Amino acid sequence: KNQVEQSPQSLIILEGKNCTLQCNYTVSPFSNLRWYKQDTGRGPVSLTIMTFSENTKSNGRYTATLDADTKQSSLHITASQLSDSASYICVVSDRGSTLGRLYFGRGTQLTVWP
Amino acid sequence: EADIYQTPRYLVIGTGKKITLECSQTMGHDKMYWYQQDPGMELHLIHYSYGVNSTEKGDLSSESTVSRIRTEHFPLTLESARPSHTSQYLCASSEGREGEVGNQPQHFGDGTRLSIL
């Protein structure tokens, strides 16, 4: 069964600190992995996309890593800001269908305190 | 910033009413999707469309129906709302046509939070 597991479920950090969110998946055949940010009351917004051949990708203070052998990804947030408070969702796409079916994790709820 | 809009943002309504959730996008995307999301849970695909006059059911069984008469418009309808339909409904769209592998990002609307009393 294709699954996406995220940890931790929730995380509280102080403003300015770094944090790392984890994503493990069993989706096969693998196409790509995206991290989405979902602010409260809003729809998810794509942060990064990782394909099979990519190990790391940065988008400002967000850095995503991918280990396709162990089927693990992480999202590292540097120098956190209050606006980083959101749910971060790991989404894996398979290449077994033309729809590019997406498998969603339950998200990590990040809270940044001043 | 993606141009995909959902209305209403919030809806509280009694059991048995007919409901239509609106979703429109101005990006000319052929692929559109409806997801259901409960607090702390993952998104579940309930409907998708490859283009005009194309609709398919998703992974999660839903009593709702959809239509795709125009490219930009993908409304979702519940003929008779029940308390079990209480949830957040997210609409999304992406580039690409039927037959193309879906590597394009999905652009999401801000959702409709539906409460059935």
Side-chain angles (χ1 to χ4, degrees):
Chain A
K1 180 181 176 182
N2 288 320
Q3 286 187 316
V4 178
E5 301 287 344
Q6 291 188 244
S7 62
Q9 183 177 345
S10 62
L11 181 63
I12 300 174
I13 62 173
L14 294 177
E15 187 178 14
K17 299 296 185 182
N18 304 334
C19 67
T20 300
L21 314 180
Q22 300 289 345
C23 174
N24 296 338
Y25 62 92
T26 60
V27 176
S28 180
F30 175 84
S31 177
N32 61 69
L33 182 150
R34 289 185 185 274
W35 284 93
Y36 280 83
K37 178 187 180 188
Q38 184 175 21
D39 292 316
T40 301
R42 306 296 298 273
V45 175
S46 178
L47 293 174
T48 66
I49 178 173
M50 307 286 290
T51 57
F52 187 86
S53 59
E54 295 175 306
N55 300 118
T56 186
K57 182 173 285 187
S58 292
N59 176 7
R61 294 180 296 102
Y62 301 104
T63 300
T65 66
L66 175 67
D67 186 333
D69 292 329
T70 62
K71 298 186 177 181
Q72 296 180 326
S73 176
S74 66
L75 181 68
H76 186 75
I77 303 175
T78 303
S80 61
Q81 300 176 357
L82 299 180
S83 59
D84 292 332
S85 295
S87 178
Y88 291 84
I89 303 172
C90 177
V91 185
V92 181
S93 176
D94 74 11
R95 52 182 173 84
S97 69
T98 56
L99 179 63
R101 188 165 298 279
L102 302 183
Y103 298 88
F104 290 81
R106 294 185 176 184
T108 291
Q109 184 64 48
L110 175 66
T111 303
V112 181
W113 283 2
Chain B
E1 192 79 19
D3 295 317
I4 181 164
Y5 308 100
Q6 291 187 242
T7 57
R9 288 294 313 278
Y10 305 91
L11 180 60
V12 181
I13 200 165
T15 298
K17 301 293 185 181
K18 180 178 180 179
I19 299 167
T20 297
L21 307 184
E22 302 289 349
C23 176
S24 295
Q25 50 96 4
T26 59
M27 297 169 283
H29 289 167
D30 284 323
K31 293 182 179 178
M32 295 191 74
Y33 317 80
W34 275 102
Y35 292 90
Q36 190 171 333
Q37 184 184 31
D38 293 315
M41 302 296 288
E42 63 268 46
L43 278 72
H44 290 287
L45 181 68
I46 52 175
H47 297 284
Y48 62 94
S49 168
Y50 284 122
V52 171
N53 294 325
S54 155
T55 61
E56 300 286 347
K57 289 191 178 295
D59 304 318
L60 183 67
S61 175
S62 174
E63 295 168 348
S64 59
T65 59
V66 293
S67 63
R68 191 86 184 276
I69 298 173
R70 303 198 314 265
T71 298
E72 63 270 23
H73 197 210
F74 192 40
L76 181 146
T77 299
L78 281 164
E79 289 294 332
S80 180
R82 295 207 299 267
S84 61
H85 296 142
T86 294
S87 188
Q88 171 154 278
Y89 293 84
L90 287 163
C91 180
S93 72
S94 66
E95 294 180 49
R97 298 182 180 276
E98 185 174 6
E100 294 179 357
V101 177
N103 284 333
Q104 298 76 20
Q106 292 191 10
H107 302 276
F108 286 85
D110 286 336
T112 294
R113 189 169 296 279
L114 178 64
S115 296
I116 310 298
L117 305 178

